[in-house]
């Protein structure tokens, strides 16, 4: 079965048990292939906690240039090297997101200059346009679409698991309710949507996420990118609009 692991469910600052929002999608074919989405923390340690190995990682998608989405990239590279990876690591994203990942890696250049056997980084730039192909290998086809996030270019994602037809959508960080996310999430089995709070030009409220879930006619909504504090009132408001809404569980695994 295809599944999504919530490696982190917090905003840049959140409750003590939540780290920054990061996702991994997997399927149970052998060998398992994992796609990571963002690395604003120690993504691989969280992945291991969910079960998949470091070696299962088929690629990393970086959504945008903010620290809470990309700052763990140098650590991720150190870990895949120490884990013995020889094959290249595909790193996929729109140009500004890849440029940020590249700068953060280059900042450590004096350290990793002489590391033997460091796996090559296969940088893959994705068009910043609705319906752009982000990933099309193995079981997963991933398309992206621009989402509004202040001045920072950013993308939401739609994951289609080809063998089963199951669909996951991810809003990433966006002001809401976003028409682009409604289109990305149309008839999805699961929508993972940020609920950092608002209203603002950068983020969405839980109620706005619920409006997107309702308009896209998804099966289930999970709220992530959660700020610190009690979310019961926000959750109640969201459920009034879209009943099948839950807070994303830190390190939770959800079958699609
Ligand atoms: Zn952001």
């Amino acid at each position: 079965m295809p599944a999504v692991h919530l490696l982190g469910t917090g905003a840049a600052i959140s409750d003590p048990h939540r780290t920054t929002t990061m996702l991994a999608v997997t399927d149970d074919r052998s060998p398992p292939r994992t796609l990571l989405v963002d690395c604003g923390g120690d993504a691989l340690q969280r992945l291991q906690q969910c079960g998949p190995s470091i070696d299962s990682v088929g690629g990393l998608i970086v959504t945008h240039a903010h620290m809470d989405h990309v700052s763990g990239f140098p650590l991720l590279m150190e870990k895949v090297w120490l884990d013995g990876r020889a094959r290249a690591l595909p790193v996929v994203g729109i140009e500004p997101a890849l440029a940020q990942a590249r700068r953060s890696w280059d900042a450590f250049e004096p350290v990793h200059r002489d590391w033997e056997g460091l796996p090559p980084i296969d940088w893959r730039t994705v068009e910043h346009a609705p319906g752009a192909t982000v990933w099309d290998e193995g079981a997963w086809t991933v398309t992206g679409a621009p989402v509004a996030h202040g001045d920072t270019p950013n993308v939401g994602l739609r994951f289609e698991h080809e063998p089963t037809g199951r669909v996951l959508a991810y809003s990433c960080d966006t002001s809401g309710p976003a028409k682009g996310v409604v289109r990305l999430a149309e008839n999805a089995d699961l929508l993972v949507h940020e609920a950092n709070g608002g209203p603002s030009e950068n983020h969405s409220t839980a109620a706005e996420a619920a409006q997107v879930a309702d308009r896209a006619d998804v099966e289930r909504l999970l709220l992530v990118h959660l700020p610190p504090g009690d979310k019961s009132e926000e959750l109640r408001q969201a459920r009034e609009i879209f009943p099948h809404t839950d807070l994303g569980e830190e390190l939770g695994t959800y079958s699609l």
Side-chain angles (χ1 to χ4, degrees):
M1 284 287 286
V4 59
H5 308 280
L6 300 184
L7 308 186
T9 56
I13 185 164
S14 190
D15 297 313
H17 71 289
R18 297 185 193 274
T19 188
T20 55
T21 295
M22 306 178 279
L23 278 58
V25 295
T26 55
D27 66 8
D28 55 8
R29 295 175 316 146
S30 184
R33 180 62 75 87
T34 301
L35 268 179
L36 293 174
V37 181
D38 286 336
C39 52
D42 188 347
L44 293 177
Q45 184 262 349
R46 308 297 275 183
L47 180 70
Q48 289 174 294
Q49 281 190 277
C50 289
S53 67
I54 292 174
D55 191 53
S56 74
V57 173
L60 166 69
I61 299 169
V62 181
T63 58
H64 66 294
H66 283 165
M67 295 81 135
D68 55 321
H69 292 262
V70 69
S71 64
F73 182 65
L75 176 60
L76 183 147
M77 284 303 301
E78 180 179 21
K79 287 193 165 202
V80 296
W81 173 61
L82 290 171
D83 191 55
R85 185 188 186 104
R87 66 193 194 281
L89 179 71
V91 180
V92 189
I94 55 175
E95 191 278 330
L98 292 193
Q100 188 73 299
R102 194 188 292 266
R103 279 192 297 272
S104 65
W105 176 237
D106 289 348
F108 288 88
E109 195 275 338
V111 176
H112 58 67
R113 183 188 304 153
D114 298 324
W115 286 2
E116 276 186 31
L118 188 67
I121 302 172
D122 178 8
W123 301 102
R124 300 183 185 178
T125 305
V126 171
E127 196 184 357
H128 195 206
T133 300
V134 176
W135 185 266
D136 191 12
E137 282 179 30
W140 296 100
T141 299
V142 184
T143 52
V147 292
H149 190 39
D151 294 333
T152 304
N154 191 15
V155 290
L157 300 166
R158 179 183 176 94
F159 297 78
E160 301 190 12
H161 186 254
E162 295 300 335
T164 61
R166 308 293 280 179
V167 173
L168 163 74
Y170 173 45
S171 67
C172 202
D173 296 5
T174 183
S175 63
K179 283 183 187 158
V181 182
V182 173
R183 278 193 292 275
L184 271 177
E186 210 161 61
N187 298 315
D189 297 285
L190 178 62
L191 170 61
V192 176
H193 199 296
E194 73 121 298
N196 192 95
S200 83
E201 60 178 17
N202 288 323
H203 289 288
S204 303
T205 63
E208 288 169 336
Q211 288 170 34
V212 171
D214 182 56
R215 290 172 193 169
D217 203 17
V218 306
E219 284 292 317
R220 184 177 189 187
L221 171 63
L222 292 174
L223 303 175
V224 298
H225 213 279
L226 301 168
D230 179 32
K231 284 92 181 168
S232 52
E233 176 55 22
E234 283 88 345
L235 183 60
R236 188 194 63 75
Q237 291 174 7
R239 283 177 171 166
E240 272 187 11
I241 298 165
F242 188 79
H244 201 181
T245 301
D246 291 290
L247 301 178
E249 185 189 335
E250 188 79 1
L251 297 174
T253 293
Y254 299 86
S255 295
L256 293 177

